[in-house]
Amino acid sequence: MSEIFAGKAFLVVTGASRGIGRAIAEKFASHLKNDSKVLLMARNLENLEKIADGMPRGLIILCKSVDFGQTTTKELQDALNDALRGEKPESFNQAIIVHCAAVVDYTRTANDLTDFSEWQTFFNVNMFSSAVLNGLFMKTFESSGVKKYVVNVCSYWGLTPDVYVSSYCAAKAAKDMFFKSFALENPDVSVLNYLPGLVDTEMLHDAYKKSKSEELVTRIKSALENNTVSTPEKTAECLVGVLKQQNYKSGDYVDFQKLNTV
């Protein structure tokens, strides 16, 4: 079995401008070999460029501003082509893609969600764009003999329902099932559904400030006060270790909280 960071890699990270996505991009980059290529994707180009500036100088990095709620197949394919910059896919030892882009609404009940366009945009970000980008990524490297790795950054809300987040629960559950099915169809690809734990991110603080669920707000407040939340850097480092060890069946969940005590 090849080691994920052993050779020249092509890495894609979505949602890379902040939080867990940013930490994963930075942590992975610190393990990549020189001349590896990194494609960072998110809406905030300025943040992406700042992150790229702090990465090892031996890497070739492209930052791409993408609105995953409105993106197209062509835009995503063009981003992959631009990152390759004429280099052949077979020149890489590993091709790694991390799906981390997400958006959450903490304020509305299921009965409030009656706008088709809002549903479309929401699922575009949280599910459809990942599925399309993943397919394009696989086609790019399908005949190259490159070892391929897929990481789907999951949420406990994809496993357990909750109030005021029904759209997010639905999208994350659909995304997880998609990657489980993808793993069955692609036994040559290493697929990991990674549960990152409760992490101190802007998204967590948004939930604390905006959620209409008193139970959720109380739970977050308690976790922050008792220092039982992880940092993005810690969960990203755990993910690196999991991928290096490969002690999981492709398509399975690996849960940060079951591997660590904060």
Side-chain angles (χ1 to χ4, degrees):
M1 181 179 294
S2 64
E3 206 274 317
I4 185 170
F5 301 112
K8 180 180 175 182
F10 186 94
L11 169 67
V12 178
V13 182
T14 70
S17 63
R18 64 177 192 166
I20 296 172
R22 174 175 183 162
I24 289 173
E26 292 174 334
K27 191 66 66 174
F28 278 35
S30 70
H31 289 271
L32 294 178
K33 303 298 183 184
N34 285 346
D35 297 324
S36 292
K37 290 193 173 183
V38 180
L39 172 58
L40 304 177
M41 306 177 77
R43 282 184 298 177
N44 193 319
L45 182 61
E46 182 179 357
N47 279 3
L48 292 178
E49 290 175 341
K50 288 179 181 178
I51 294 164
D53 286 342
M55 288 183 169
R57 295 302 174 191
L59 303 179
I60 302 168
I61 303 167
L62 177 69
C63 299
K64 178 66 175 178
S65 175
V66 178
D67 181 350
F68 287 107
Q70 305 293 331
T71 191
T72 64
T73 299
K74 183 180 185 303
E75 181 182 29
L76 297 178
Q77 184 64 72
D78 287 347
L80 292 173
N81 293 342
D82 289 345
L84 280 170
R85 294 177 184 173
E87 193 165 2
K88 294 181 178 180
E90 54 266 30
S91 69
F92 297 91
N93 300 105
Q94 290 89 21
I96 310 161
I97 186 165
V98 182
H99 299 283
C100 198
V103 63
V104 190
D105 181 352
Y106 308 98
T107 63
R108 294 192 290 174
T109 68
N111 290 341
D112 294 327
L113 303 173
T114 57
D115 188 320
F116 273 105
S117 63
E118 288 184 4
W119 272 106
Q120 182 72 45
T121 299
F122 199 83
F123 261 74
N124 280 349
V125 176
N126 290 299
M127 194 275 169
F128 297 150
S129 61
S130 294
V132 172
L133 179 60
N134 199 76
L136 296 173
F137 186 81
M138 292 300 138
K139 289 182 181 299
T140 297
F141 291 96
E142 66 181 345
S143 62
S144 63
V146 176
K147 176 61 180 177
K148 294 177 281 292
Y149 298 84
V150 173
V151 179
N152 171 35
V153 178
C154 305
S155 169
Y156 298 108
W157 277 329
L159 301 172
T160 304
D162 207 344
V163 296
Y164 299 106
V165 286
S166 58
S167 55
Y168 188 67
C169 290
K172 296 300 281 189
K175 186 183 177 200
D176 291 0
M177 187 56 69
F178 170 82
F179 281 108
K180 286 179 174 291
S181 297
F182 168 82
L184 292 177
E185 293 178 351
N186 296 270
D188 59 325
V189 180
S190 174
V191 182
L192 172 62
N193 289 301
Y194 182 64
L195 290 158
L198 188 64
V199 186
D200 192 354
T201 62
E202 291 182 38
M203 186 176 287
L204 181 70
H205 288 274
D206 281 346
Y208 179 63
K209 295 174 184 177
K210 300 176 182 178
S211 177
K212 291 186 177 181
S213 169
E214 293 182 6
E215 189 276 333
L216 176 61
V217 171
T218 299
R219 182 155 33 103
I220 294 173
K221 181 180 179 181
S222 175
L224 291 170
E225 290 177 348
N226 294 308
N227 196 31
T228 56
V229 294
S230 178
T231 65
E233 292 74 22
K234 185 171 182 178
T235 197
E237 185 61 43
C238 177
L239 174 58
V240 167
V242 170
L243 290 169
K244 283 185 173 182
Q245 295 169 13
Q246 290 284 294
N247 290 329
Y248 59 88
K249 180 182 176 182
S250 184
D252 279 355
Y253 289 104
V254 172
D255 188 345
F256 171 86
Q257 290 185 339
K258 292 182 178 179
L259 299 175
N260 297 267
T261 55
V262 179

